Amino acid sequence: MMARTTPGVRLLPNAITVLALCAGLSAVQFALIGNYQMSIASIGIAAILDSLDGRIARLLDATSKMGAELDSLSDAISFGVAPALVLYVWHADGERIGWIASLVFAVCMVLRLARFNTFLDDTEQPPYASEFFVGVPAPAGGLLGLLPLIVTLQFGNSWWSSQWFTWIWTVAIAALLISRIPTLSLKTVKASPKFVAPLLVGVGLLAAAIISFPLISLAVALVLYLAHVPYSVYRHRWLANHPEAWDVPPRERRTIRRSRNQRRLGLRRPISGRVAGAARRAVRLQRNGHGGYPSGSYRAGQNGRGDGDGSGQRRRSWRRIGLRQRGNH
């Protein structure tokens, strides 16, 4: 029999969610006293805690409707309200355009979370839908909104710290939140056993980079996240057009992609110009109705040897033409 989860353990995921909420609200308090680095760190901690509460809830079999609603409310405050207020306090000059941009960001974050909750009850989605988010997820959106502040703290004031760029950037990230652009979900990424050791080394290097250069590491990670969006769109479209790849692992998907590319291309492109020229001459002669080279034509060719038979026609050979026979290779 499966052991029943004790009530105290069932509260652990909700406690982590509350801690994430407190971290997000603390970002506003740090911004009010001018400590913007701690504001960024608080929202980063909230993002880490948000990625843990759901996994721990599934691991302990402690999922509940209340936990799901609490998680959404925590995300709305930690990654919607808190970053918007931090940016507004950073450029607190009393301008209405700044407050409007902050409101747009917070509202779009709430709408994005509401749409996410409706997708949880949708059972008609294709199997590959779990590999993608619709739009930018809440933790990534909250940190992306703070990217101008992160770059300013690291490199000083410039065009990226101006008010017009900050508010345009804020509205643009808000648009990504409610867009239908597919982005990859790290929850479904699985690593092969042979890549476990390199991944652990990479985690160690990442931790060292974050400790030594926290702002630069965070900025680079956010830029790389934005750069992955075109690949995510391409992968989503490819899966939508290939139903046979929906229920197979990634390695078999690569095999399907390679086989389709070879089938579409046919023969491989020749390696050298000599082979291409020989193949081109063979095709030209066949189109002209000749079974081979005319008498003496090959003799006057590249090596001066006569390979024709008594009738003056050369026997066709895959080796002479320059193409290999198609077989199992």
Side-chain angles (χ1 to χ4, degrees), residues 59-299:
L59 182 63
L60 299 177
D61 193 19
T63 58
S64 63
K65 187 67 175 178
M66 176 183 174
E69 298 297 332
L70 181 63
D71 183 70
S72 297
L73 293 175
S74 174
D75 290 349
I77 295 176
S78 299
F79 309 119
V81 176
L85 292 179
V86 169
L87 291 174
Y88 182 73
V89 172
W90 179 38
H91 284 306
D93 294 335
E95 294 187 1
R96 297 180 181 180
I97 185 64
W99 181 244
I100 292 175
S102 299
L103 288 179
V104 169
F105 185 86
V107 170
C108 289
M109 180 66 70
V110 173
L111 293 176
R112 186 256 179 278
L113 293 169
R115 183 179 62 184
F116 176 79
N117 291 338
T118 59
F119 285 161
L120 294 177
D121 299 329
D122 188 2
T123 59
E124 298 181 356
Q125 298 184 24
Y128 65 88
S130 60
E131 303 180 17
F132 301 91
F133 289 114
V134 180
V136 175
L143 291 172
L144 283 172
L146 296 176
L147 188 58
L149 176 59
I150 296 172
V151 176
T152 300
L153 293 177
Q154 181 62 42
F155 299 105
N157 293 323
S158 185
W159 56 269
W160 52 73
S161 60
S162 60
Q163 290 189 6
W164 65 267
F165 177 80
T166 301
W167 302 131
I168 292 176
W169 178 267
T170 303
V171 174
I173 299 300
L176 287 178
L177 290 171
I178 60 174
S179 68
R180 303 193 67 86
I181 298 176
T183 56
L184 290 179
S185 173
L186 297 179
K187 298 178 181 179
T188 58
V189 175
K190 297 181 181 179
S192 176
K194 64 181 180 181
F195 294 119
V196 171
L199 283 177
L200 292 178
V201 174
V203 170
L205 294 176
L206 179 61
I210 293 175
I211 294 173
S212 303
F213 311 100
L215 293 177
I216 294 180
S217 301
L218 182 57
V220 170
L222 293 175
V223 172
L224 291 177
Y225 183 83
L226 285 178
H228 102 284
V229 173
Y231 167 75
S232 178
V233 174
Y234 163 77
R235 181 174 175 179
H236 186 274
R237 291 180 178 177
W238 188 88
L239 287 174
N241 296 327
H242 296 83
E244 69 276 8
W246 290 357
D247 299 322
V248 298
R251 180 177 301 178
E252 297 183 14
R253 288 179 181 177
R254 290 192 293 268
T255 303
I256 294 174
R257 189 181 296 110
R258 285 195 297 266
S259 64
R260 285 186 172 272
N261 290 337
Q262 292 176 359
R263 190 180 304 115
R264 184 174 64 251
L265 295 177
L267 293 175
R268 294 184 299 175
R269 295 182 62 183
I271 299 176
S272 64
R274 179 182 62 82
V275 175
R280 188 162 52 248
R281 287 193 297 271
V283 173
R284 188 186 304 117
L285 289 174
Q286 289 179 1
R287 289 180 178 177
N288 293 334
H290 298 283
Y293 285 90
S295 176
S297 63
Y298 189 77
R299 189 179 299 110

Side-chain angles (χ1 to χ4, degrees), residues 7-70:
V9 174
R10 292 181 64 88
L11 289 176
L12 181 59
N14 293 336
I16 295 176
T17 304
V18 172
L19 289 177
L21 173 61
C22 294
L25 285 175
S26 298
V28 180
Q29 190 268 339
F30 285 121
L32 291 174
I33 62 177
N35 193 347
Y36 296 109
Q37 292 186 353
M38 285 303 300
S39 296
I40 298 171
S42 298
I43 295 179
I45 293 173
I48 296 175
L49 294 175
D50 179 72
S51 65
L52 293 177
D53 57 1
R55 289 178 171 85
I56 293 178
R58 289 187 292 270
L59 182 63
L60 299 177
D61 193 19
T63 58
S64 63
K65 187 67 175 178
M66 176 183 174
E69 298 297 332
L70 181 63

